[in-house]
Amino acid sequence: LLRLSTILYFAPEPNMMLWMKRNRVKCTTADLFQKADLTLDIQKTGLPDESYDLIIANHVLEHVDDFREALKEIHRILRPDGLFICSFPMDPKVDTLDEDLLQTMKDAGCITLFIGVESADQQTLDKMNKNITVAKTENAFKLARKVGIRTIASCVIGMPEDTRSSIQKTIDYVK
């Protein structure tokens, strides 16, 4: 499958490039600052619409001025049914997620969102100075599901602020 795809790889990682070379997977590399096949800004590539089957951009979007614009650009240059592989720390606060942002992510090919729940106990969250609420976290999961993005919850268990009760509450929450 990969050998038949047109692949665009932003800020290619050396170990992945080595793996791709060993497995005879060809790709076009792109970067603004490092040596690459193309010198491109991911927010405005100038590439033709629907020109790639697979786009990879790990830890790139946290370095752009507007990751929403970058996601729209990825959506534009990605072929229908194309795949976008991306990881980036979007924002630590679940209350910044809204349906428009999630739809933009979905349109750009996002299929799974990893959400930092941290704890399902509000007192523990407050003691950790997370400035989020359990209700806002629940809303983020609901909105993601509404637009068709799968979710994964990330929890921290055993923080100094935790009690047996708060740990059990978090375990029950993610079940």
Side-chain angles (χ1 to χ4, degrees):
L1 176 66
L2 287 177
R3 289 190 191 116
L4 301 176
S5 299
T6 53
I7 302 171
L8 178 61
Y9 196 162
F10 284 93
E13 299 141 306
N15 287 338
M16 274 300 296
M17 291 303 297
L18 181 61
W19 180 90
M20 292 171 88
K21 183 177 180 179
R22 286 181 183 157
N23 289 280
R24 297 186 189 125
V25 176
K26 294 182 181 179
C27 71
T28 301
T29 60
D31 202 303
L32 264 178
F33 306 108
Q34 303 295 322
K35 185 179 180 204
D37 299 324
L38 303 172
T39 302
L40 294 178
D41 180 347
I42 197 168
Q43 298 168 102
K44 191 169 187 152
T45 65
L47 296 169
D49 292 354
E50 301 178 358
S51 50
Y52 288 92
D53 297 305
L54 172 62
I55 299 174
I56 305 169
N58 287 317
H59 294 286
V60 173
L61 298 184
E62 64 261 38
H63 302 288
V64 301
D65 295 330
D66 186 346
F67 71 86
R68 291 175 193 240
E69 286 303 311
L71 289 171
K72 289 176 185 173
E73 180 67 0
I74 294 297
H75 180 244
R76 186 186 68 75
I77 64 173
L78 193 62
R79 289 192 177 127
D81 298 321
L83 183 63
F84 178 41
I85 298 175
C86 172
S87 62
F88 75 107
M90 197 179 68
D91 193 311
K93 296 182 182 175
V94 294
D95 59 347
T96 61
L97 287 175
D98 59 38
E99 194 170 339
D100 288 340
L101 171 58
L102 290 165
Q103 189 61 58
T104 299
M105 293 169 65
K106 172 76 173 173
D107 291 344
C110 178
I111 57 171
T112 305
L113 183 62
F114 190 91
I115 298 175
V117 172
E118 312 305 353
S119 176
D121 181 75
Q122 191 60 53
Q123 286 182 327
T124 301
L125 289 171
D126 294 343
K127 288 177 187 175
M128 294 169 69
N129 294 317
K130 289 295 179 179
N131 297 318
I132 59 173
T133 66
V134 174
K136 288 181 179 179
T137 301
E138 288 174 359
N139 189 54
F141 280 97
K142 287 177 187 173
L143 288 173
R145 287 188 202 111
K146 182 178 179 182
V147 300
I149 296 176
R150 292 183 305 191
T151 55
I152 297 173
S154 169
C155 301
V156 178
I157 297 205
M159 295 295 290
E161 298 84 0
D162 265 326
T163 64
R164 287 184 186 271
S165 173
S166 68
I167 290 171
Q168 190 59 54
K169 189 183 280 187
T170 300
I171 291 169
D172 294 342
Y173 180 81
V174 295
K175 286 182 179 179

